[in-house]
Amino acid sequence: MNDDTPIGFFNSSVGLILSSSRPQGWRRCHFHNKSTERTCMQGCDASVLLDPTPANPETEKTAPINIGLAAFDVIDDIKAALEERCPGTVSCADILVYAARDASSILSNGRVRFAAPAGRLDGVVSRAADAQRDLPDSTFTVAELVRNFRRKNFTVEELVILSGAHAVGVGHCSSFRARLSAPPAQIVPAYRDLLSAKCGAEGPGADPVVPNNVRDEDPRAVAAAFPPFLGKLRRTRDLLDNSYYHNNLARVVTFNSDWQLLTEKECEDGCTKARR
Ligand code: HEM
């Protein structure tokens, strides 16, 4: 992101209204869009949106680490609507950032708000290998996470705060397979059983998705494997609140990278502070 890009750049020229469908995907999409840049000085360039072509069959989208990124069609629809109203004015990169900003606000019932500068240009370089190399993996240790975030000028505090986005959305079983045999000190056995049951339900070779947040689980699955957590279920899914920190400190999260935050003092202190 360029420090000079103005906030409210489009306020007078474009009335941009974003649909609220699948907002949890946009938040992750923005993070992946931003994190695969070589340097933040180049800006969030929406290269994650580019489809593979015969000339470039392996764009960022095709990288295994980008598993689950979705809702690209919604961004396409927004871009098409904007092009009709004000051609050549709003880049896909800006649309993605606005989508992430509005998704954060919608999912948190207006509690998470941040200003989004505008005026980014779309990039034309998109390589799966860059995404694979630069994005943090759910198998990372805390030291690897800290190093990965630091390379993009994110602090440890920001790592902890941004990880709180895992209060919403879903993950594929392949993204946390090793957690299914992790010891009780790392994951509550009843929760591990619940995940194992769901991940095995569709047979060998299948890779189902489960909610990142136990709060969003199917009540029947929780009643069968994890009755003490029945009280934590909510009728409204995907609320972006601080339940991630409660769950993490209670060892009830899916990704190894989330649990890893408890193995380093500054990160663990950050989780405890955010739980309040
Ligand atoms: C700390 C390093 C991070 C790692 C290792 C990580 C890893 C992952 C993985 C493996 C998934 C599931 C992908 C799948 O199997 O479909 C996921 C989902 C998600 N992540 Fe992260 N993530 C990290 C940080 C972030 C950040 C900083 C954000 C946003 C600020 C974020 C937002 C999300 C969201 C919203 C989802 C759910 C997406 C959906 O429902 O489709 N993550 N993350």
Side-chain angles (χ1 to χ4, degrees):
M1 190 183 313
N2 183 335
D3 284 343
D4 297 332
T5 36
I7 291 165
F9 188 75
F10 294 123
N11 280 359
S12 55
S13 54
V14 180
L16 180 60
I17 300 167
L18 291 166
S19 146
S20 66
S21 66
R22 291 170 283 165
Q24 59 280 24
W26 297 341
R27 220 174 122 77
R28 180 164 179 248
C29 223
H30 174 43
F31 174 58
H32 287 219
N33 177 41
K34 191 165 166 53
S35 297
T36 45
E37 290 149 23
R38 263 165 218 293
T39 73
C40 285
M41 295 309 288
Q42 280 183 302
C44 309
D45 68 358
S47 51
V48 72
L49 300 177
L50 293 176
D51 285 326
T53 61
N56 183 16
E58 294 184 354
T59 57
E60 288 168 36
K61 251 184 199 183
T62 68
I65 200 150
N66 275 332
I67 183 173
L69 285 192
F72 297 113
D73 55 318
V74 182
I75 302 289
D76 289 345
D77 289 349
I78 295 167
K79 176 68 174 166
L82 282 166
E83 284 306 306
E84 210 171 294
R85 251 169 99 173
C86 33
T89 309
V90 188
S91 65
C92 290
D94 277 341
I95 292 171
L96 203 47
V97 174
Y98 286 146
R101 177 199 62 188
D102 290 0
S104 303
S105 175
I106 291 163
L107 291 168
S108 68
N109 286 335
R111 289 201 175 87
V112 177
R113 292 203 207 181
F114 54 90
R120 290 168 199 80
L121 297 178
D122 290 336
V124 289
V125 178
S126 181
R127 283 187 291 253
D130 292 349
Q132 209 58 36
R133 186 196 55 221
D134 290 349
L135 284 166
D137 194 273
S138 60
T139 59
F140 273 16
T141 63
V142 72
E144 289 171 318
L145 289 168
V146 169
R147 215 175 307 130
N148 179 282
F149 271 61
R150 193 173 290 142
R151 274 211 299 272
K152 298 293 174 192
N153 295 325
F154 287 118
T155 64
V156 170
E157 186 185 20
E158 287 165 339
L159 163 64
V160 173
I161 291 170
L162 290 168
S163 295
H166 289 164
V168 299
V170 295
H172 288 77
C173 290
S174 57
S175 296
F176 54 85
R177 194 71 70 190
R179 296 274 287 161
L180 304 180
S181 52
Q186 297 182 17
I187 183 167
V188 165
Y191 184 55
R192 193 184 58 198
D193 293 348
L194 181 149
L195 295 177
S196 295
K198 294 192 82 172
C199 290
E202 292 175 22
D207 190 12
V209 293
V210 304
N212 290 338
N213 194 325
V214 67
R215 172 203 66 197
D216 297 337
E217 268 296 350
D218 166 16
R220 279 164 310 178
V222 175
F226 204 13
F229 264 70
L230 270 174
K232 284 196 184 279
L233 303 188
R234 286 178 60 101
R235 216 176 283 245
T236 318
R237 287 177 60 103
D238 283 328
L239 176 67
L240 185 57
D241 60 5
N242 70 347
S243 55
Y244 163 83
Y245 302 100
H246 284 268
N247 293 345
N248 201 7
L249 288 158
R251 274 44 170 191
V252 186
V253 285
T254 51
F255 306 127
N256 170 72
S257 49
D258 291 329
W259 170 75
Q260 280 284 330
L261 297 183
L262 305 185
T263 66
E264 196 274 339
K265 186 161 176 0
E266 191 180 348
C267 293
E268 189 188 17
D269 287 350
C271 288
T272 308
K273 203 169 146 198
R275 178 177 58 177
R276 291 198 190 113

